Amino acid sequence: MKSLSLILRNARYFGPSWVFASINILFGTWAIYIPTVKENLGIDKSQLGIAIFFLALGVFSIFPFASSIINRVGVGKTTFYGVLFSCAAAMLPLMAANYYVLMAALFLFGASNGLTDISMNTLVTEIEKKDKVKFMSASHGFFSLGGVLAGMGSFLIGPLSNPVLHMFLAVGLVLIINFRFKNQFIHETAEELVQEPFKLGLLKPLLLLGFISFVAMGSEGAIVDWSGLYLKEITLAPETFWGLGFLGFQITMTLGRFLGDGINESIGSNKLVALGALLAILGYLLVLSTDTILTIIGFALNGLGFSVIVPEVFRIGGNVKGVDSSKGIAFIAGSGYAGFLCAPPILGFLAENYSLTRSFVVLLACGFLILLFTFLLKKKNV
């Protein structure tokens, strides 16, 4: 918890970390009103899926330009402006008057979140370099914490009975704290590298990191989407237990990210990613036991394992020699989001045509893939 203590004691580190929480507070608040939006606009599940695709499309659309924006405007200013854009865009989907306006609103929300995501990870990477501290993993812990806060906001659905007002309150919370701490990071700039001729060798470590990000975030998305159904249909758990796999996953995910920086100082990024992969593999083995209690413990181990993988991959990617930190992080973020979006439907196809158990066997294999990629990274001395 050393890095968490550092963040809470020092405004210079709390400011960037709160940006991580901010993005998930906004996204989580939108997410709890998805059923309401579907009902209000009278759209079916297929139309809703297409609308949410526009959210993902917005995220991807910004990736090719994010590095140039960060280098031109400054990473600190880009991070703060990204928060402002995200706050404005977060209001739009809940105010959409029809289906087509909803698609446009979600595209803008996705683009603003994508820019903020890349800039905030680049910001933390640059501050870590300058101050010789480590708080990347704890910052991702704040992201998870933001999701918890958004989830607690679901208790306001009944008393408020007004999605736009609820989002306005969430935006207000995000803006008040960000304006309070913006001066701690707004003037930060990313280290500019001397432009060198492109070398294929620079691409190889990024490809490995991109593969790890793709598999890890894809696995996270799959567990979020399928853990409840697995407990219901495979372990035949009682209804009160269906949400415990997701809850255990989220709790250990948050805890692991607050512990990750301290462990990194002892064993380094590569070994920490390998350790995370081993914990995830053990978690999947328990899940595949099909015993309800062991499965819930398995999902909790999955959360603990994956908690450190993505933050460490961002940290490594932001420090690849000869590559701008913003470019490395943009590539890894794009790969990760691709996995997060692609994995659940792919596993859904496997579950529909084979079995849900078969889907988790595939996830187990993905855990071994991450472990293999980690050893390949070590060989390349990344």
Side-chain angles (χ1 to χ4, degrees):
M1 291 290 185
K2 180 181 177 182
S3 57
L4 176 60
S5 176
L6 177 72
I7 289 171
L8 295 178
R9 287 187 288 104
N10 195 319
R12 173 169 169 77
Y13 308 127
F14 179 83
S17 297
W18 178 253
V19 175
F20 281 72
S22 300
I23 294 305
N24 218 14
I25 288 173
L26 298 175
F27 185 81
T29 303
W30 141 253
I32 63 177
Y33 280 107
I34 289 176
T36 304
V37 171
K38 177 180 176 294
E39 182 179 345
N40 289 345
L41 296 181
I43 58 178
D44 58 30
K45 291 179 181 178
S46 176
Q47 290 173 310
L48 178 62
I50 294 172
I52 293 175
F53 169 77
F54 272 80
L55 175 70
L57 188 62
V59 172
F60 282 110
S61 70
I62 201 66
F63 285 155
F65 313 105
S67 178
S68 298
I69 295 172
I70 289 170
N71 290 332
R72 178 169 296 185
V73 178
V75 67
K77 289 181 180 178
T78 304
T79 300
F80 181 66
Y81 295 155
V83 172
L84 297 183
F85 292 144
S86 292
C87 285
M91 302 293 300
L92 301 178
L94 299 180
M95 299 169 64
N98 58 59
Y99 178 54
Y100 299 104
V101 174
L102 175 64
M103 288 191 289
L106 288 175
F107 178 86
L108 292 174
F109 190 32
S112 58
N113 279 4
L115 178 62
T116 310
D117 189 292
I118 295 169
S119 58
M120 70 188 186
N121 278 287
T122 305
L123 174 64
V124 171
T125 298
E126 292 299 324
I127 293 176
E128 283 190 333
K129 290 179 185 176
K130 293 176 183 177
D131 293 10
K132 297 187 179 354
V133 298
K134 292 186 176 181
F135 68 108
M136 174 66 84
S137 185
S139 293
H140 281 261
F142 268 76
F143 180 86
S144 298
L145 184 61
V148 173
L149 292 174
M152 292 172 62
S154 62
F155 292 110
L156 296 175
I157 293 177
L160 288 178
S161 298
N162 189 326
V164 176
L165 176 59
H166 189 164
M167 182 62 82
F168 182 79
L169 294 175
V171 166
L173 173 65
V174 166
L175 286 179
I176 288 171
I177 300 179
N178 272 289
F179 269 100
R180 166 65 179 81
F181 290 97
K182 70 181 177 67
N183 289 332
Q184 302 296 329
F185 64 83
I186 198 168
H187 299 298
E188 289 291 331
T189 56
E191 179 184 356
E192 293 187 10
L193 299 178
V194 177
Q195 293 296 318
E196 298 178 355
F198 176 77
K199 297 178 181 178
L200 188 60
L202 298 178
L203 185 60
K204 290 180 179 178
L206 282 179
L207 284 175
L208 286 172
L209 292 167
F211 279 129
I212 293 175
S213 181
F214 179 90
V215 173
M217 289 187 68
S219 299
E220 288 181 30
I223 292 170
V224 168
D225 287 351
W226 294 102
S227 59
L229 193 63
Y230 188 91
L231 282 165
K232 176 186 176 183
E233 295 187 357
I234 304 301
T235 75
L236 304 178
E239 185 176 356
T240 52
F241 282 40
W242 293 350
L244 292 184
F246 173 75
L247 179 62
F249 180 81
Q250 289 295 332
I251 290 174
T252 54
M253 174 78 73
T254 304
L255 177 64
R257 285 177 169 173
F258 285 138
L259 294 172
D261 295 302
I263 301 173
N264 175 283
E265 291 182 357
S266 301
I267 65 175
S269 291
N270 284 345
K271 289 182 180 178
L272 185 51
V273 173
L275 176 61
L278 287 172
L279 287 172
I281 289 169
L282 178 58
Y284 284 131
L285 291 173
L286 292 179
V287 168
L288 290 170
S289 73
T290 71
D291 176 83
T292 297
I293 300 302
L294 290 179
T295 295
I296 293 170
I297 295 172
F299 283 130
L301 281 175
N302 286 147
L304 194 61
F306 285 118
S307 68
V308 295
I309 292 176
V310 173
E312 292 305 320
V313 169
F314 274 118
R315 198 197 311 266
I316 298 169
N319 289 276
V320 174
K321 294 180 180 179
V323 179
D324 285 340
S325 58
S326 58
K327 291 180 180 177
I329 287 172
F331 180 82
I332 292 165
S335 303
Y337 273 107
F340 192 83
L341 293 166
C342 293
I346 291 173
L347 293 172
F349 173 81
L350 290 174
E352 184 69 26
N353 290 277
Y354 298 97
S355 70
L356 194 53
T357 302
R358 184 73 60 87
S359 296
F360 277 86
V361 171
V362 171
L363 289 174
L364 172 62
C366 288
F368 282 106
L369 272 179
I370 294 175
L371 194 60
L372 172 63
F373 293 152
T374 305
F375 285 120
L376 292 176
L377 279 176
K378 185 177 180 181
K379 286 185 177 181
K380 292 184 178 298
N381 297 316
V382 176

